[in-house]
Amino acid sequence: MSILEIKKGIYNVGVEDWNLRNFHGYSTSRGTSYNAYLIIDDKITLIDTVKKHFSEELLKNISEIVDPEKIDYIISNHVEMDHSGAIPCLAEKAKNAIIVTSDPNGIKGLEAHYGKKLNYMVVKSGEELTIGKRKLVFVATPMVHWPDNMVTYCPEEKILFSNDAFGQHYASNLKMDYENNLEVIYEEAKKYYTNIVMPYGMQTRKALEIVKSLDIDIIAPSHGVIWKENIKGILEKYEYFSNDIPEEEAVIVYDSMWNSTKKMAFSILDAFTKKRIKTYIFDLKVNDISDIMVKVLKAKYIIVGSPTLNNNMLPTVAALLTYMRGLAPKNKKALAFGSFGWGGQSIGQVNEELKKCNMEIMADPIKIQYIPTKEQLEEIEKTIQSLI
Ligand code: FEO
């Protein structure tokens, strides 16, 4: 992989993870990258690293510019191991390098991962580090995506090294936004926001206020492409993603054993269609929950159906609800439905899980025993129409 000089003396020396297809549960059909940035100044500085098993590739990339032993500072914007995993290997090479991390959560995290023996330096939000003709300013962005997160801003170059913020799980040999299909990278940025950052919308909005106050030529995240020609665009997208104001849209998610719950799902779809509400319908047998969540992000109505299997909801539905609860989407109206043979416990269980997601329950769950009749399906459609 050729090294990209993003501004004079500043290089992306990170790696592309072309074949990654699952990032702890998030499907990554376009792979990902771990971007790391090398600044050549009086003090040679590396901003973030890569996953541990890419350490050698990172060292090789750095070696194309400078001997890794000469690195003076390693800025760790974020402890998560996709960005810190190569720190021990680098510290082994660059014996005098100082690892700069946030106070208090960065240092706690790095020590827990790599022990206390590394050469750490802690910085608070707003502190500066002069590395020669440039300086670096550290700004805390807690919970975007862990408590330790910070971003690093270089005012002389007007570059924001934003770590997870504005990233995308997207591998590309061409690293600038304008060298890629904009619709695709916005789509991946939305999926990334939804599945990684969504629980922290409030913190994201605070971070955005800080970012908007900076003079920025380049946003250099730690995943995906580097934003240069579409900075306004990605900032506007983040404002939209994080505002927690739903659109008049619906998501219907179900799994079905003998198509009865599926028939109910499609009657519900008919109700939304008659009300001219944009609706997305997903069968959990063939759809990935991290893709479904992208549609949940801005939808007002979340309708979830499961038949009853051995006194429980189907495991696919349980997985969706567990995942959704963790991502904590805001301002949703929800409804449970499903068919059953005798016990029928699943529908109440789905309803309880939707309550735990802090969603406003639209009505009592809709249950049908065995196979819904034409009349029952029409009744479901009318009921839903009356609720929306
Ligand atoms: Fe890309 Fe939260 O790590």
Side-chain angles (χ1 to χ4, degrees):
M1 177 95 184
S2 61
I3 307 304
L4 178 69
E5 187 170 28
I6 61 173
K7 275 206 173 183
K8 188 146 183 60
I10 302 179
Y11 304 85
N12 174 32
V13 290
V15 303
E16 304 302 300
D17 195 350
W18 294 101
N19 292 302
L20 185 82
R21 291 294 176 266
N22 188 306
F23 197 100
H24 42 62
Y26 169 158
S27 68
T28 50
S29 61
R30 295 183 171 110
T32 193
S33 70
Y34 315 110
N35 303 339
Y37 300 96
L38 184 71
I39 306 177
I40 303 299
D41 209 318
D42 296 347
K43 299 287 184 189
I44 294 172
T45 301
L46 180 70
I47 299 187
D48 288 316
T49 74
V50 299
K51 272 188 181 171
K52 182 181 176 184
H53 63 272
F54 287 105
S55 298
E56 288 304 320
E57 195 172 333
L58 174 66
L59 284 174
K60 182 171 163 288
N61 290 347
I62 294 168
S63 301
E64 289 189 25
I65 314 295
V66 71
D67 183 345
E69 289 181 16
K70 295 187 175 161
I71 292 173
D72 296 289
Y73 290 114
I74 301 168
I75 312 297
S76 174
N77 278 322
H78 181 22
V79 171
E80 195 166 12
M81 286 181 281
D82 46 340
H83 309 297
S84 71
I87 285 178
C89 175
L90 276 161
E92 190 61 35
K93 283 267 173 203
K95 298 219 182 295
N96 297 319
I98 294 169
I99 299 151
V100 180
T101 185
S102 65
D103 186 18
N105 290 311
I107 186 68
K108 266 192 217 162
L110 287 180
E111 285 184 350
H113 282 73
Y114 309 113
K116 293 177 187 279
K117 288 188 181 158
L118 297 178
N119 196 8
Y120 297 116
M121 176 176 125
V122 293
V123 289
K124 291 213 177 282
S125 192
E127 275 187 37
E128 296 177 5
L129 177 69
T130 299
I131 58 170
K133 64 178 189 293
R134 305 174 180 94
K135 70 180 175 205
L136 301 174
V137 185
F138 306 105
V139 180
T141 51
M143 302 317 295
V144 190
H145 146 238
W146 278 10
D148 60 278
N149 269 83
M150 64 181 191
V151 297
T152 298
Y153 177 61
C154 178
E156 292 77 13
E157 304 287 358
K158 301 182 184 174
I159 301 179
L160 179 71
F161 299 96
S162 63
N163 195 264
D164 276 344
F166 314 116
Q168 328 95 56
H169 281 318
Y170 178 75
S172 176
N173 63 327
L174 304 179
K175 293 297 294 182
M176 301 308 294
D177 55 353
Y178 53 79
E179 297 176 299
N180 290 272
N181 180 314
L182 191 58
E183 288 310 308
V184 169
I185 55 176
Y186 278 156
E187 182 187 314
E188 290 298 340
K190 184 177 187 185
K191 185 169 178 180
Y192 190 91
Y193 177 85
T194 303
N195 286 280
I196 304 282
V197 189
M198 177 161 48
Y200 315 113
M202 188 183 68
Q203 292 89 339
T204 304
R205 292 193 294 276
K206 277 188 192 161
L208 273 175
E209 286 311 306
I210 297 167
V211 170
K212 283 189 325 196
S213 71
L214 302 173
D215 191 6
I216 295 175
D217 269 354
I218 288 177
I219 295 179
S222 291
H223 298 289
V225 303
I226 296 161
W227 301 99
K228 181 162 175 57
E229 290 192 356
N230 299 282
I231 289 174
K232 186 166 173 281
I234 188 63
L235 291 180
E236 284 172 358
K237 295 275 180 203
Y238 257 62
E239 285 202 28
Y240 175 68
F241 301 156
S242 65
N243 70 14
D244 291 336
I245 302 168
E247 299 285 354
E248 195 67 9
E249 289 182 356
V251 172
I252 303 167
V253 196
Y254 68 93
D255 199 347
S256 199
M257 292 162 70
W258 294 103
N259 287 334
S260 292
T261 299
K262 178 179 178 181
K263 284 177 186 162
M264 296 172 75
F266 277 83
S267 282
I268 295 168
L269 174 64
D270 286 345
F272 279 103
T273 305
K274 285 189 178 150
K275 288 280 187 167
R276 313 311 300 159
I277 293 173
K278 179 69 182 168
T279 301
Y280 302 93
I281 186 162
F282 296 100
D283 179 344
L284 282 162
K285 281 190 193 63
V286 291
N287 287 284
D288 178 85
I289 55 176
S290 60
D291 289 321
I292 294 171
M293 288 309 301
V294 177
K295 297 302 183 195
V296 168
L297 174 68
K298 299 305 288 190
K300 182 194 280 187
Y301 304 101
I302 310 298
I303 318 294
V304 181
S306 177
T308 302
L309 174 72
N310 300 329
N311 303 327
N312 277 291
M313 68 180 99
L314 289 180
T316 48
V317 180
L320 168 87
L321 291 167
T322 301
Y323 191 65
M324 185 158 71
R325 188 176 167 194
L327 291 174
K330 311 287 186 306
N331 301 324
K332 307 296 183 192
K333 292 173 184 272
L335 186 70
F337 70 97
S339 85
F340 66 101
W342 48 101
Q345 298 93 329
S346 62
I347 303 108
Q349 291 165 358
V350 171
N351 190 53
E352 288 308 305
E353 290 302 314
L354 291 169
K355 284 185 196 166
K356 288 180 197 167
C357 291
N358 289 320
M359 295 184 181
E360 179 189 329
I361 301 299
M362 295 163 68
D364 288 341
I366 301 175
K367 300 168 75 160
I368 298 285
Q369 190 164 22
Y370 291 118
I371 298 170
T373 63
K374 183 169 174 289
E375 291 72 30
Q376 284 174 317
L377 291 173
E378 285 169 1
E379 190 56 38
I380 289 172
E381 192 185 311
K382 272 195 211 139
T383 303
I384 298 293
Q385 284 198 65
S386 72
L387 293 171
I388 55 183

